[in-house]
Amino acid sequence: MDAHSRGRADDIDPADQWVLNPNTGNYELRLDHSAGESSSPSRTATAEGTGRRGGSRTGSSLEGSGRRGSGSREREREREREAAPDVPRQVPGQRSRRSSQGGRGAAEPPSAGRRKRKPQKSRKKKALLWTGGVMAFVVVAGSAGAYALYQKLNGNIDAIDVGDAGSKNVVTDGPMNILIIGTDKRTGKGNEGYGDKGSEGHADTTILFHVSEDRTNATAMSIPRDLMTEIPECETKNEDGTSTVIPGTPNQRFNTSLGQNGRDPGCTMRTVENITGLKPDHFMMVDFNAVKSLTSAVGGVKVCMAKPIDDPKSHLKLPQGESKVQGEQALALLRTRDSFGNRSDLDRIKVQQQFLGSMIREMKSTDTLTNPNKLYKLADAATDALTVDKAIGDAKKLMTLAEEIGKVDTKNISFLTMPVIDNPAEPKPVTVVVDPGKGEQLFAMMRSDTSLTEVKQKEKAAKGKQAALLKGPKAEAADVRVDVLNGGEIPGAAGSTVTWLQNEQGVLKSTNKANAPEKIKKTTLEYAPNQADQARALAEMMGLPATAMKKGTADAEGLEAMVLTLGADFKGAGQLITGPAKPPKDIEKASADKAVCAQ
């Protein structure tokens, strides 16, 4: 519902009409009574629905309809205007809903002998507080409290159909993965003048934002643009409704997963899933202009420099210590490579993470959340800057997603970079590849929804006797005997697992038993008491949690094998079912609630 429909002049900023009353926590519609207000029945009925009397409204068909003559109604209005307090108007969706009594639709003002009800916390304000801890490009979509501005904001958003690369649901009951893509395209208003004229752009800055199932924590993992990886085959949707299949290419830079050869964000989503085993549910893409408009809308972002910066390439000049950046200066900070560390993309990523953490804190600040004009400008800038997948392609869906993600406390948002090593295939490395040890450990932690913060998690393994099943001696791989069944969603999983066990782990006595009788959610390992050492060895190889261990009561006889049934939590041969309890050593991570000076 647009605030302009309430009879205001078209030249009034919609945001200026809604003002936060600090005494009640509610947003109130500020009206200029000197301006000619509408006296339509709909206006009067709305005022009465909030319990408000007064102004110059007359002629309501709802008040006292059919009960008194017009003269009596006018006299009653005059008495009420003199006696009733000026009860604030609330935004749509917060109005009190009173049942009609005696043909009256209006809520009565408090009488002198009735105790005034303590004002309740506004649902709108609660939503704003929730959104304070979301990624910078997510939070503003929900922060606007945009019920009255829905149509305006909704028209700003661009959406792309990525097919089955993402989720069809706005939110899920389990963990959620949002892919934030910053593109360096040089097309479109505000993106020109940065070299490489006319470029369709790449996945220049990419962050996989993993939100835990219980919404207590989140991990924001940056993916280096110069990561060498396989770009899988992907299908893109054309404007005429047809589809185009873009062949996959091995050994390519990650940033070519977008914009090159006609690839869209769905191709980037598939590439991320191919690398990590984590399927993105949605994507949000921003460009150069988005950085400028968002930082300006929020009034600047605080940054801290360990030393003065003067970079002639990006034209960035900043003093030592704290300062605020916005617009072109903010973009220059995010683009510069020559001012920090060893001038690599990895050092630039650290600065980008610190910047986003600061922007999140600014979004959550009281100055932002209680300033209707600033919130409106943020929401308008954000929705205008965002390109998203079709499943979240309107303002209401974006706000729903933002409220869900915003439940995460800022202190429990961890920023880190995908573990990588120099590309061994290059004599003088200029690109990187995933660290084969640390990378898989981190991905397994994220797949198993293990927090990187100290936040108390729901138990991932059973306590007491169940957890003890993983402790004790382990058999040699050559002595492990197991039958593997597929009860998950991946075709051929049992066969690929057996191949991996035999070729990579030395479990030669493993057998493919094809599909299980029914699908299961969690992988299980059934074994006899005298196979406990074999079970522990297999559990370690596959990252099985204690809850997967199903110990029988009778000993196995002869050559009887254990039974491993893969569930929906199985993501691929060689990928741990459950990750380690702690991240790999030497992985640098930062919290969104702490300010750090860029080195």
Side-chain angles (χ1 to χ4, degrees):
M1 184 176 189
D2 197 313
H4 289 302
S5 67
R6 298 181 179 273
R8 302 290 289 169
D10 290 340
D11 60 349
I12 296 177
D13 189 333
D16 289 338
Q17 299 183 50
W18 299 102
V19 181
L20 183 73
N21 185 331
N23 297 320
T24 65
N26 293 333
Y27 277 90
E28 302 165 7
L29 183 63
R30 179 173 64 196
L31 297 174
D32 180 359
H33 294 283
S34 65
E37 293 185 7
S38 170
S39 61
S40 69
S42 62
R43 287 291 302 273
T44 309
T46 303
E48 291 166 1
T50 62
R52 178 171 180 148
R53 300 279 193 265
S56 58
R57 301 176 182 84
T58 60
S60 170
S61 62
L62 293 179
E63 184 167 343
S65 176
R67 297 181 60 196
R68 300 177 180 84
S70 60
S72 297
R73 288 197 297 272
E74 287 298 319
R75 286 192 296 273
E76 182 179 83
R77 288 194 191 93
E78 289 296 324
R79 288 194 297 272
E80 289 176 341
R81 277 196 287 269
E82 294 172 1
D86 192 18
V87 180
R89 179 190 295 269
Q90 296 173 316
V91 295
Q94 293 179 312
R95 303 188 189 105
S96 58
R97 301 292 184 184
R98 298 217 177 184
S99 59
S100 158
Q101 296 182 7
R104 295 177 63 85
E108 296 293 342
S111 65
R114 184 183 300 172
R115 180 177 295 177
K116 189 173 181 180
R117 180 176 296 176
K118 187 177 181 180
Q120 296 180 342
K121 286 185 178 181
S122 163
R123 292 179 64 192
K124 176 71 60 67
K125 186 176 181 182
K126 185 185 290 186
L128 299 181
L129 294 175
W130 281 350
T131 56
V134 191
M135 289 290 291
F137 299 125
V138 180
V139 65
V140 289
S143 291
Y147 298 107
L149 306 170
Y150 171 73
Q151 293 297 335
K152 159 66 175 169
L153 300 180
N154 198 49
N156 287 347
I157 302 169
D158 291 327
I160 294 176
D161 186 354
V162 295
D164 61 359
S167 172
K168 300 299 182 184
N169 300 318
V170 177
V171 298
T172 64
D173 293 334
M176 293 192 300
N177 297 303
I178 314 298
L179 195 64
I180 311 296
I181 306 173
T183 175
D184 59 355
K185 70 174 185 177
R186 268 68 169 186
T187 59
K189 184 179 179 180
N191 295 315
E192 310 91 346
Y194 299 102
D196 201 11
K197 184 177 181 180
S199 171
E200 289 298 320
H202 309 76
D204 189 56
T205 300
T206 307
I207 297 175
L208 181 60
F209 191 64
H210 173 85
V211 184
S212 68
E213 180 175 359
D214 59 11
R215 310 302 189 239
T216 63
N217 65 94
T219 299
M221 182 179 69
S222 296
I223 303 174
R225 55 169 289 159
D226 295 327
L227 176 74
M228 296 301 288
T229 187
E230 176 188 1
I231 310 296
E233 176 182 285
C234 61
E235 183 179 27
T236 62
K237 304 291 184 179
N238 303 317
E239 292 184 1
D240 60 3
T242 61
S243 298
T244 299
V245 176
I246 302 173
T249 52
N251 203 33
Q252 296 288 313
R253 290 182 192 243
F254 173 81
N255 67 344
T256 62
S257 65
L258 175 71
Q260 311 306 300
N261 302 319
R263 295 188 179 110
D264 66 9
C267 298
T268 308
M269 296 170 77
R270 288 183 169 89
T271 303
V272 170
E273 182 180 6
N274 191 55
I275 296 169
T276 66
L278 290 152
K279 180 181 176 67
D281 295 290
H282 304 291
F283 84 86
M284 295 182 178
M285 184 168 66
V286 293
D287 55 21
F288 290 160
N289 194 53
V291 174
K292 294 184 290 185
S293 61
L294 285 171
T295 54
S296 297
V298 79
V301 176
K302 288 182 181 179
V303 295
C304 180
M305 301 294 113
K307 60 183 181 180
I309 302 298
D310 187 356
D311 180 9
K313 290 185 179 179
S314 64
H315 307 294
L316 176 66
K317 290 186 178 182
L318 290 174
Q320 182 177 356
E322 282 195 354
S323 56
K324 265 195 172 185
V325 296
Q326 60 180 301
E328 289 286 353
Q329 195 176 33
L331 179 60
L333 174 63
L334 297 181
R335 294 185 66 220
T336 184
R337 286 184 183 226
D338 294 337
S339 301
F340 307 105
N342 60 7
R343 301 182 177 182
S344 71
D345 185 52
L346 298 180
D347 286 302
R348 181 173 66 166
I349 285 175
K350 293 178 185 178
V351 175
Q352 292 170 347
Q353 292 171 348
Q354 293 163 8
F355 177 87
L356 287 174
S358 181
M359 193 167 186
I360 289 173
R361 293 191 296 274
E362 183 65 34
M363 297 286 183
K364 190 181 179 181
S365 69
T366 302
D367 180 56
T368 298
L369 292 176
T370 59
N371 187 323
N373 190 52
K374 183 177 285 188
L375 286 174
Y376 169 73
K377 290 178 179 178
L378 275 171
D380 190 36
T383 51
D384 192 45
L386 284 174
T387 299
V388 301
D389 56 284
K390 194 173 181 180
I392 54 172
D394 68 54
K396 188 178 294 185
K397 291 178 179 178
L398 273 176
M399 189 162 66
T400 299
L401 179 63
E403 287 178 353
E404 185 72 8
I405 301 175
K407 296 175 184 178
V408 181
D409 194 310
T410 311
K411 68 181 180 181
N412 293 328
I413 301 177
S414 296
F415 286 97
L416 50 80
T417 303
M418 177 184 288
V420 294
I421 58 174
D422 287 340
N423 188 353
E426 297 173 341
K428 187 177 180 181
V430 293
T431 62
V432 294
V433 296
V434 175
D435 185 311
K438 296 178 182 179
E440 177 51 32
Q441 290 179 54
L442 177 61
F443 304 156
M445 282 190 72
M446 295 174 70
R447 290 195 300 266
S448 61
D449 203 24
T450 303
S451 173
L452 272 70
T453 68
E454 297 301 319
V455 63
K456 185 178 180 180
Q457 288 285 289
K458 293 179 179 178
E459 243 2 276
K460 299 300 181 183
K463 295 180 179 179
K465 293 182 179 179
Q466 187 68 23
L469 295 176
L470 293 175
K471 298 178 181 179
K474 301 177 180 65
E476 295 294 328
D479 295 327
V480 174
R481 190 182 297 273
V482 62
D483 292 338
V484 183
L485 292 87
N486 183 15
E489 303 295 332
I490 302 175
S496 62
T497 298
V498 168
T499 300
W500 175 77
L501 285 171
Q502 292 179 350
N503 295 341
E504 302 294 331
Q505 301 298 314
V507 183
L508 302 180
K509 299 171 184 175
S510 52
T511 306
N512 176 10
K513 293 295 184 179
N515 292 330
E518 59 184 5
K519 300 289 185 181
I520 60 173
K521 291 184 177 180
K522 301 291 185 180
T523 298
T524 62
L525 177 60
E526 301 172 65
Y527 63 98
N530 61 341
Q531 296 172 322
D533 58 341
Q534 297 181 49
R536 287 189 287 266
L538 186 64
E540 183 177 61
M541 296 175 197
M542 300 197 61
L544 297 179
T547 50
M549 310 294 279
K550 307 299 180 185
K551 184 178 179 179
T553 56
D555 283 347
E557 297 180 1
L559 301 179
E560 186 177 350
M562 300 182 295
V563 177
L564 174 69
T565 306
L566 305 174
D569 56 348
F570 174 81
K571 301 303 180 185
Q575 296 187 17
L576 301 177
I577 301 294
T578 298
K582 295 182 179 180
K585 294 180 179 179
D586 304 325
I587 285 189
E588 295 184 35
K589 62 185 180 74
S591 174
D593 72 329
K594 295 180 180 178
V596 180
C597 290
Q599 299 290 329

